[in-house]
Amino acid sequence: MGRTRKNKKATAAQAAADDTAAAAAAVSDAEEVREVEDPAVEDAAAAELDDDDDDSYDDDDGPLSYDDDDDGNYGTDDSDGGDGAAGRKALLARRGVYEGRREEGASDSDDDEDGRQSARRKRARVAAGGDGAGQPPAVKNRQRVLILSSRGIPQRYRHLMNDLHALLPHSKKESKLDTKHKLSVLNEMAADVQCNNCIFFEARRNQDLYMWISRAPSGPSVKFLVQNVHTMDELRMTGNCLKGSRPILSFDQHFDDETRPHLLLLRELFRQVFGTPRTSRKIKPFIDHVMSFSVVGESIFFRNYQTIPDTPSTNTAAATSTAAGAPALVEIGPRFQLRVVRVFAGSFLGSALYESAEFVSPAAARRQARAAAQAAVAARAKARKAAAGKTVELPEDELAD
């Protein structure tokens, strides 16, 4: 019984001694880690590793190895009688050097990423028109056109609007506008869809069509009367072009006449509205049709042709060529005629910069035609009445008794 108690006491004392040794080893390891964190120790370990890159032997501590026998010694091999604490210290120093190298590599990768981003920004500035050294890039041609109509537009005019929308890949359609009096709300609608141009078709009396072309929101704006409308479905021309391709704008010599400054303004307005910018998202990298604007008197005629380079056409009525080997033009459509009514300084409002003195509204023209027809009818009725009330005197008959 007494021997059992002595054994229990010895076992408890041995366990306490083991716990004390484990605590001392933990404190020793912590001190060794703090020593490793010292820059001098790290530099020494780095120099030591540089001298022996093959990680085979250490001059002082012997060959480095991991804890293969699970005895807690991470230093020199037990068979050589080396000090395990020294080996652990060297291994920790080695790990610290590796971590420092990884951090240095991470910083180098961050520097490389910054350099790549800087190079990308420089290439973007050069592509945009700058010199890559801080010069601001050139102004891009960002043209977007809003196309919409008023309510009550006839079917033919609606098809004309759809044809123009198909020919302008940088255009956006909007629902019909309810009002015809407060057209300034079109500026807000254009701003909502990020458009800086607007084409508005205004239908009146279910037979007249007016087209507004405006630079939103500052102006100027032009009001046209649209006549002689023929859509692509009506014409059934043989010409065709790729949807989304960019057009060539052709203006005749009348647009260069300085005695008619409103035509100079119209040419610039047509360029910005009908000219498709190369930065548009919906365009195709092709130029295969020509939009022609021709001035005859006070009217502007619009035509759209397909270009067929160096291809003789067998149908001479459909294709026209100016010279041998020149591109042939085949009409696509649509066709329409524009008559300038008034040019405004603002967008759908403002003072009048130009007003056509020869313009007569279609309603006034119809009233004049009806008045002339009524006057002609009245003249004929008056002539018949005068002829019916007039007596005709016959000459005397010489043979009468």
Side-chain angles (χ1 to χ4, degrees), residues 240-354:
N240 192 10
C241 65
L242 182 66
K243 185 175 182 180
S245 61
R246 300 176 62 203
I248 298 175
L249 302 183
S250 175
F251 302 90
D252 66 357
Q253 67 275 9
H254 293 91
F255 284 95
D256 298 328
D257 190 359
E258 296 182 355
T259 60
R260 306 170 71 180
H262 68 283
L263 292 180
L264 300 175
L265 177 63
L266 293 180
R267 181 180 63 181
E268 184 62 28
L269 192 62
F270 288 152
R271 282 178 177 176
Q272 297 183 15
V273 173
F274 291 94
T276 303
R278 66 178 62 187
T279 57
S280 180
R281 296 183 295 108
K282 297 182 180 180
I283 66 168
K284 303 296 188 301
F286 301 99
I287 299 177
D288 57 356
H289 65 287
V290 179
M291 292 184 181
S292 173
F293 299 89
S294 304
V295 178
V296 179
E298 293 294 328
S299 301
I300 301 175
F301 291 85
F302 175 86
R303 297 291 186 272
N304 184 32
Y305 299 96
Q306 177 192 3
T307 59
I308 305 179
D310 301 334
T311 302
S313 176
T314 57
N315 188 2
T316 57
T320 59
S321 179
T322 56
L329 300 179
V330 182
E331 187 172 358
I332 304 173
R335 293 179 179 180
F336 55 88
Q337 176 185 351
L338 300 176
R339 295 200 63 180
V340 182
V341 179
R342 188 174 297 180
V343 179
F344 297 92
S347 180
F348 300 102
L349 47 82
S351 59
L353 301 179
Y354 171 80

Side-chain angles (χ1 to χ4, degrees), residues 378-390:
R380 289 195 298 269
K382 186 177 180 180
R384 286 195 300 269
K385 185 177 180 180
K390 184 179 179 181

Side-chain angles (χ1 to χ4, degrees), residues 45 48-50 52-68 73-80 82-95 98:
E48 185 176 318
L49 289 175
D50 291 335
D52 190 9
D53 289 336
D54 57 355
D55 297 337
S56 60
Y57 287 92
D58 190 284
D59 295 339
D60 298 330
D61 298 330
L64 295 176
S65 64
Y66 290 97
D67 187 16
D68 296 334
N73 295 326
Y74 289 87
T76 56
D77 198 345
D78 295 338
S79 62
D80 296 338
D83 189 4
R88 289 195 299 271
K89 185 175 180 179
L91 182 59
L92 291 173
R94 178 178 170 184
R95 290 180 179 177
Y98 284 163

Side-chain angles (χ1 to χ4, degrees), residues 141-346:
N141 183 19
R142 299 184 181 275
Q143 303 293 338
R144 297 183 180 89
V145 184
L146 175 64
I147 300 179
L148 73 163
S149 66
S150 62
R151 292 206 175 272
I153 186 172
Q155 180 181 6
R156 173 179 294 184
Y157 299 152
R158 186 175 67 254
H159 288 177
L160 174 63
M161 180 181 64
N162 295 334
D163 291 344
L164 289 181
H165 176 63
L167 292 176
L168 303 178
H170 60 295
S171 63
K172 297 181 180 180
K173 286 185 64 177
E174 190 61 49
S175 59
K176 298 178 180 179
L177 186 66
D178 293 329
T179 180
K180 298 181 182 179
H181 303 287
K182 297 180 181 180
L183 298 182
S184 58
V185 299
L186 292 172
N187 296 326
E188 301 177 3
M189 297 176 63
D192 291 340
V193 294
Q194 299 179 355
C195 292
N196 52 3
N197 300 289
C198 183
I199 299 179
F200 176 63
F201 292 90
E202 180 183 359
R204 293 185 179 179
R205 294 179 177 86
N206 202 26
Q207 54 184 340
D208 301 332
L209 180 65
Y210 291 89
M211 183 170 68
W212 291 78
I213 298 180
S214 173
R215 285 282 299 175
S218 58
S221 57
V222 185
K223 182 180 181 181
F224 298 96
L225 173 65
V226 185
Q227 297 176 327
N228 300 327
V229 175
H230 299 281
T231 63
M232 287 191 285
D233 292 337
E234 293 177 349
L235 294 175
R236 297 288 183 179
M237 294 291 185
T238 58
N240 192 10
C241 65
L242 182 66
K243 185 175 182 180
S245 61
R246 300 176 62 203
I248 298 175
L249 302 183
S250 175
F251 302 90
D252 66 357
Q253 67 275 9
H254 293 91
F255 284 95
D256 298 328
D257 190 359
E258 296 182 355
T259 60
R260 306 170 71 180
H262 68 283
L263 292 180
L264 300 175
L265 177 63
L266 293 180
R267 181 180 63 181
E268 184 62 28
L269 192 62
F270 288 152
R271 282 178 177 176
Q272 297 183 15
V273 173
F274 291 94
T276 303
R278 66 178 62 187
T279 57
S280 180
R281 296 183 295 108
K282 297 182 180 180
I283 66 168
K284 303 296 188 301
F286 301 99
I287 299 177
D288 57 356
H289 65 287
V290 179
M291 292 184 181
S292 173
F293 299 89
S294 304
V295 178
V296 179
E298 293 294 328
S299 301
I300 301 175
F301 291 85
F302 175 86
R303 297 291 186 272
N304 184 32
Y305 299 96
Q306 177 192 3
T307 59
I308 305 179
D310 301 334
T311 302
S313 176
T314 57
N315 188 2
T316 57
T320 59
S321 179
T322 56
L329 300 179
V330 182
E331 187 172 358
I332 304 173
R335 293 179 179 180
F336 55 88
Q337 176 185 351
L338 300 176
R339 295 200 63 180
V340 182
V341 179
R342 188 174 297 180
V343 179
F344 297 92

